[in-house]
Amino acid sequence: MAQALADGLYAASLICLMTLGLLPLWLTRRVFHFAHGAVFVAAPYSMLACVDRFGPPGFVPGVFLALFLSIALGIAIEWLVYRPLTRRRAGTLMYFIASLGVYTMGVHLVALIYGDESRTVRYWSVQESVRVIGGVHVSPVQMTIMGAALLMAAILWIVLRCSHLGKTIRAVSDSPELSLIVGIDVRKVRLLAAALGSALIGAAGVLTACDVDMTPQMGMRPVMIGLVAAIVGDRHVGVALGAALILGLSKHVGAMWFPAAWQETVVFATMMAALSLKRFGALGATR
Amino acid sequence: MDYWLHILVLVGIYAALANSLDLMAGHTGLLSVAHAAFFGVGAYAAAISSTYATLGFLGSTFTACAVVGLLALVVGSFLVRFLGDLFVLVTFALQVVVSDVFRNWTDVTNGAIGIRGIPDAKIAGWVFTSAAAYALLAALLALGAYLVVNQISASPLGRVLRAVREDAQFVESLGKNPFAQRLIVFVIGAVVAGASGSLYAHYVSYIDPTSFTLSDSILILSMVIVGGPGSRSGPMIGAAVLVSLPEILRFVGVSGATAAHTRHVFYGALLVGMMLWRPRGLVGQFLFGAARDD
């Protein structure tokens, strides 16, 4: 049980990072940013490009490249796809379809270049020492990942709650029209939010790749899960994080009762439950 | 010649799939990305009935429709309560869960290995083996789907559906029950998808979970979008375009896994392009998901 909790907390930390990355995007646009699944995938693969080319010394530059690329991609998506759609007064479903198109394009481009098989950037020995703390097996790599994830998440939380940018993001999420009226540059806010969110999503992708192998398809589920947590929480960042925590825990705690192969199903069932809560009212019903 | 017949079979099957999705999405505003899941459930149900219970084609198709219909009814009565955007998300979850079931419920579906050796379609002693025979069946299926969708669309039910699509609350105030309308459409669309699955299973004689994934749902959705949601012939045109265009890629020399990925890059670009430049689709009139002046 303690092991399941520990694993669950690890999974939750990554989901929290995804959720906080998706929140600025969700708040400023209320679109299902499926496109950022492509960002999640592109980041570790760009790291792979570095490591392929320069060997282990390429790892750190790879991380920087990944973050830079994530931000660039996020801004590009906002500028080239979402903004023109806003000009055309598109409905949310149209954004969603376009977002899906971007995801499909990005993921299959990666697959074209790197193939479908799993690749890895982990040049260190995977058999590395596994410590046992309080009867629970933890790996130092995972602990580093978890620490990094939580640190970035905390930074973003502070940004959202306390900074000027955070305030303008929340303003835009409440009412883009009113924000314009009081002089907020909504377009700029959306761009900044895209940059910020994409950086975190890219970071989540990089961290995930440090723990498990990468495949081009790896982005879909983390994005979905993070997105649901973000939607459920909406303006209440704490609720979003709580949802992320529960979703992370559900994966491993669920494994205690169901065979391992059904882990993802448990998560998605939990997701449906979370969405039902939102729809039917425990957290403030939406129609 | 056989090659073109093969394309025709696929176009027929996907036209039926696109039409049934359009009934849900274009006519009623229920954008679902779980259509391949129903397609798959139908295919698996038919495959199992045909291979293990040795039912004829009509028997296994009926079983497929019954199974899918029941599933759609049960799941739909919960899912259809979600409006617009949230509905998309829950169908996402549904698709993922169903895909997982295909892969993990090995007792029934054989897991990743799939079901092979599905017998050719048998109707009253006639065995369908040639591509031409299946092309005929596919054409009938596509025609059937087209008729179902357009009859509904032209009927009073169709009018109510379009109203629900535009403003469900208003429809409720007029005394109609949007939930019931949505559920009906959801089930009918799913059943047609299930029937298509049965034909597909008998045609290709081997199915596995990789044919019924989220990407396939997105592909079917693309056909609806490209053709024109809510229009009469849009989905069929979309199906014809999206099935045959990649074959042209084949002639240009791109093959194998590269072709599959290139195809999907193309589909993705098409989706983005359509949204940016022609959201109505090639022949549609309904501006899908257009922002309203609320």
Side-chain angles (χ1 to χ4, degrees):
Chain A
M1 176 70 178
Q3 182 70 49
L5 271 179
D7 290 336
L9 283 173
Y10 169 72
S13 68
L14 282 170
I15 297 177
C16 282
L17 188 60
M18 275 304 273
T19 306
L20 283 166
L22 286 163
L23 259 180
L25 296 160
W26 167 254
L27 287 175
T28 52
R29 273 207 174 278
R30 302 202 177 276
V31 167
F32 300 150
H33 280 280
F34 214 61
H36 283 79
V39 173
F40 182 89
V41 173
Y45 271 90
S46 59
M47 243 171 66
L48 180 68
C50 263
V51 172
D52 269 356
R53 185 104 162 62
F54 302 113
F59 187 79
V60 173
V63 173
F64 282 103
L65 177 65
L67 286 176
F68 175 73
L69 188 66
S70 309
I71 295 177
L73 277 176
I75 292 181
I77 294 172
E78 165 63 31
W79 202 334
L80 297 172
V81 179
Y82 293 152
R83 202 186 272 190
L85 283 176
T86 312
R87 270 205 297 271
R88 281 167 183 65
R89 308 188 41 124
T92 38
L93 288 181
M94 284 168 68
Y95 285 100
F96 172 72
I97 292 166
S99 181
L100 213 50
V102 172
Y103 170 78
T104 309
M105 264 172 55
V107 163
H108 287 279
L109 267 171
V110 169
L112 260 180
I113 305 175
Y114 286 98
D116 278 311
E117 319 81 41
S118 51
R119 305 286 304 269
T120 180
V121 281
R122 292 168 298 156
Y123 61 87
W124 52 84
S125 150
V126 183
Q127 250 47 33
E128 177 144 328
S129 53
V130 173
R131 313 266 177 72
V132 180
I133 302 178
V136 168
H137 294 266
V138 293
S139 108
V141 174
Q142 283 188 338
M143 293 192 57
T144 318
I145 292 174
M146 187 162 150
L150 290 174
L151 180 66
M152 284 185 267
I155 292 175
L156 189 77
W157 192 355
I158 293 173
V159 166
L160 275 178
R161 297 294 303 271
C162 308
S163 75
H164 179 66
L165 175 64
K167 228 189 291 198
T168 50
I169 287 177
R170 279 178 288 143
V172 170
S173 93
D174 280 345
S175 172
E177 288 93 14
L178 267 178
S179 307
L180 268 175
I181 291 172
V182 301
I184 295 176
D185 186 346
V186 174
R187 291 178 4 155
K188 195 172 85 168
V189 170
R190 284 183 173 146
L191 270 179
L192 284 173
L196 191 59
S198 310
L200 263 86
I201 292 172
V206 164
L207 287 175
T208 308
C210 289
D211 185 39
V212 295
D213 293 341
M214 328 183 259
T215 71
Q217 305 292 338
M218 70 194 275
M220 180 196 48
R221 290 180 194 219
V223 166
M224 276 230 64
I225 297 172
L227 194 55
V228 168
I231 292 174
V232 164
D234 208 66
R235 271 181 111 260
H236 309 282
V237 181
V239 175
L241 289 177
L245 182 67
I246 291 177
L247 286 168
L249 286 174
S250 73
K251 183 169 176 181
H252 291 275
V253 174
M256 284 175 21
W257 292 295
F258 301 99
W262 295 99
Q263 267 182 351
E264 297 279 340
T265 315
V266 173
V267 178
F268 276 82
T270 316
M271 262 175 55
M272 285 237 228
L275 284 172
S276 314
L277 273 180
K278 176 151 184 83
R279 167 72 179 88
F280 298 115
L283 301 163
T286 49
R287 281 224 88 231
Chain B
M1 185 54 193
D2 250 16
Y3 180 65
W4 293 110
L5 284 172
H6 166 70
I7 304 280
L8 257 168
V9 176
L10 288 180
V11 169
I13 292 177
Y14 277 99
L17 284 169
N19 256 317
S20 47
L21 179 60
D22 189 40
L23 180 65
M24 279 191 219
H27 288 89
T28 319
L30 290 171
L31 186 62
S32 157
V33 284
H35 220 57
F38 292 123
F39 182 43
V41 171
Y44 270 99
I48 293 170
S49 323
S50 239
T51 324
Y52 303 129
T54 57
L55 284 172
F57 179 65
L58 290 176
S60 38
T61 306
F62 180 74
T63 314
C65 291
V67 170
V68 174
L70 194 60
L71 178 70
L73 187 64
V74 169
V75 171
S77 50
F78 174 61
L79 255 46
V80 148
R81 296 172 198 271
F82 289 83
L83 295 183
D85 312 340
L86 286 183
F87 179 76
V88 182
L89 268 188
V90 290
T91 56
F92 245 116
L94 176 67
Q95 169 69 66
V96 172
V97 169
V98 171
S99 282
D100 277 354
V101 169
F102 287 158
R103 255 197 325 257
N104 296 330
W105 200 8
T106 39
D107 290 341
V108 168
T109 64
N110 242 354
I113 307 174
I115 300 182
R116 45 171 35 112
I118 305 171
D120 280 319
K122 271 195 301 281
I123 300 181
W126 282 68
V127 180
F128 289 74
T129 40
S130 68
Y134 278 103
L136 179 64
L137 280 178
L140 285 175
L141 176 72
L143 184 65
Y146 176 79
L147 285 174
V148 165
V149 173
N150 281 299
Q151 285 298 71
I152 291 180
S153 178
S155 73
L157 175 63
R159 268 202 296 280
V160 177
L161 291 175
R162 280 189 292 282
V164 168
R165 178 186 73 194
E166 300 295 335
D167 193 332
Q169 215 165 356
F170 182 60
V171 169
E172 220 173 337
S173 76
L174 290 174
K176 296 282 180 189
N177 184 356
F179 167 72
Q181 325 289 2
R182 285 206 190 103
L183 185 58
I184 291 173
V185 166
F186 188 73
V187 172
I188 294 178
V191 166
V192 173
S196 317
S198 173
L199 180 57
Y200 178 77
H202 286 95
Y203 177 59
V204 297
S205 70
Y206 163 68
I207 55 172
D208 71 349
T210 64
S211 311
F212 312 113
T213 64
L214 179 69
S215 299
D216 302 290
S217 280
I218 294 176
L219 171 61
I220 301 172
L221 184 61
S222 313
M223 294 178 187
V224 173
I225 303 287
V226 165
S231 65
R232 294 170 69 87
S233 47
M236 295 220 300
I237 293 179
V241 166
L242 285 182
V243 168
S244 46
L245 268 180
E247 301 300 323
I248 298 177
L249 264 181
R250 215 184 286 259
F251 282 113
V252 179
V254 189
S255 60
T258 334
H261 289 305
T262 317
R263 246 198 333 234
H264 278 98
V265 174
F266 173 68
Y267 294 147
L270 200 58
L271 277 180
V272 178
M274 295 298 295
M275 286 301 106
L276 284 175
W277 289 299
R278 203 173 160 88
R280 288 170 215 268
L282 287 171
V283 296
Q285 279 120 22
F286 168 47
L287 195 57
F288 197 37
R292 287 188 290 275
D293 294 311
D294 324 286

